[in-house]
Amino acid sequence: MSHTDFQTWSFAIQQQMEIAMGGVLPSAQHLPERLHEAMRYAVLGGGKRVRPLLVFATGELVDAPAERLQYAASAVEMIHAYSLVHDDLPCMDDDVLRRGKPTVHIEFDEATALLAGDALQTAAFEVISARPLCDEPADQLAMIRILATASGAAGMAGGQAIDLASVGKPLSLPELEHMHILKTGALIRASVLLGSYCGRPLLTAERDKLDRFAKLVGLAFQVVDDILDVEADTATLGKTAGKDAANEKPTYVSLLGLKEAKQRAAELEAEALDCLSGFGERAARLRELAHFIVHRAF
């Protein structure tokens, strides 16, 4: 099969995921309609789908069937969407714009937004457990555990708690990186690991290299997010620009400065690519994604 360019490939996956997630989300025509409408509003029609792209890119490395990958990717993206809904609430980051449109609590109301996030989280586990996504049942249990760990106190939720507790406080680089390994990196690592289980078996050492790659890419993703929060405008980002500085949140830019933050992103990309050196052309999409994450301008 010929290797299509990254833009064509990523657009095709994004379109496929829109259809797949539209199919697994509850219909807005069914009771409770308003809750279902809010869930669909939170997930569909926006976003770069970086996490699903990572699932599919890793799936190419292990020759995984696309149908398996789309369900694993849907579960990850639903967890991501729920986290954004809750992060935007007044009790957290109190934001009014996400993906270029009003946040869920603005479009609907706070109670509906809270319930939509709750429902998306549980729906993700329904999706990942409802059908065979790998050859061995024990591996599918491992996938469910990976997603649960990445979502909870040892992952994304724990990182958000540290973030909220760190407002106005200086953090060292190790402290900042630990926070983002949990808050942003855990779900990115889960995306790669879930994709790795959907196809042919990997050696433990191979999966460890993929996990290391994902950890580094997750950190790079956050470094670039912090840079864009300074350099890009609200219209480009699709969310409120400059909010981290306004809220006195610790960022890579506030800690390192803009020039050194960009250098840190480049270092993380190089380390991540080094983890893929033994996989050859099978890891081409993962390399392209690492480049996209570090060099994206929006």
Side-chain angles (χ1 to χ4, degrees):
M1 186 175 66
S2 61
H3 186 83
T4 57
D5 66 89
F6 177 75
Q7 186 174 4
T8 301
W9 173 81
S10 60
F11 180 75
I13 299 300
Q14 289 162 351
Q15 295 300 107
Q16 180 178 347
M17 289 305 304
E18 192 76 5
I19 295 168
M21 291 188 296
V24 297
L25 285 165
S27 170
Q29 307 306 312
H30 296 156
L31 285 171
E33 294 100 332
R34 186 171 173 82
L35 174 61
H36 293 164
E37 185 183 352
M39 293 169 69
R40 299 180 73 87
Y41 180 88
V43 174
L44 302 176
K48 296 178 288 296
R49 310 298 187 201
V50 168
R51 291 151 193 83
L53 289 172
L54 284 165
V55 173
F56 272 84
T58 311
E60 286 201 6
L61 192 148
V62 295
D63 303 315
E67 185 177 11
R68 288 181 175 183
L69 295 171
Q70 75 179 19
Y71 288 118
S74 292
V76 174
E77 190 68 1
M78 290 162 80
I79 292 287
H80 177 55
Y82 120 71
S83 76
L84 299 181
V85 173
H86 281 191
D87 284 0
D88 290 334
L89 286 169
C91 63
M92 297 251 201
D93 290 349
D94 192 16
D95 218 330
V96 299
L97 193 67
R98 174 69 68 176
R99 293 175 171 173
K101 60 185 183 181
T103 50
V104 176
H105 71 275
I106 296 295
E107 183 71 15
F108 295 86
D109 55 71
E110 287 184 39
T112 300
L114 182 65
L115 290 171
D118 291 343
L120 284 171
Q121 180 180 196
T122 55
F125 288 98
E126 182 180 358
V127 168
I128 202 172
S129 62
R131 55 193 59 79
L133 299 186
C134 49
D135 295 332
E136 297 295 331
D139 287 341
Q140 189 147 349
L141 283 175
M143 292 173 69
I144 295 168
R145 185 173 63 250
I146 287 166
L147 187 59
T149 302
S151 306
M156 186 179 65
Q160 175 71 354
I162 295 170
D163 189 26
L164 292 170
S166 301
V167 173
K169 298 179 181 177
L171 294 182
S172 66
L173 182 59
E175 288 172 332
L176 186 66
E177 293 201 330
H178 175 68
M179 177 177 78
H180 288 306
I181 284 169
L182 300 181
K183 182 183 175 183
T184 304
L187 207 56
I188 286 176
R189 292 171 74 184
S191 301
V192 170
L193 290 174
L194 292 181
S196 77
Y197 275 102
C198 290
R200 61 174 182 79
L202 287 174
L203 299 173
T204 299
E206 291 178 313
R207 189 166 280 119
D208 287 346
K209 286 182 180 179
L210 289 176
D211 187 37
R212 173 70 177 164
F213 162 83
K215 178 180 178 181
L216 294 163
V217 165
L219 284 173
F221 186 97
Q222 186 60 51
V223 176
V224 175
D225 250 21
D226 289 352
I227 293 167
L228 291 175
D229 190 64
V230 174
E231 290 194 331
D233 58 27
T234 296
T236 303
L237 291 175
K239 59 182 180 180
T240 307
K243 189 140 193 192
D244 289 341
N247 290 341
E248 298 184 50
K249 283 195 171 188
T251 69
Y252 286 95
V253 175
S254 66
L255 180 64
L256 301 175
L258 195 56
K259 182 179 179 181
E260 287 197 27
K262 290 180 178 181
Q263 180 61 34
R264 180 62 180 148
E267 291 169 356
L268 289 165
E269 180 188 12
E271 289 181 55
L273 293 177
D274 188 57
C275 296
L276 301 177
S277 59
F279 291 106
E281 280 305 302
R282 292 180 297 139
R285 293 298 185 200
L286 287 173
R287 294 187 186 94
E288 290 170 345
L289 264 172
H291 180 82
F292 168 75
I293 285 168
V294 173
H295 299 281
R296 71 192 192 277
F298 59 93

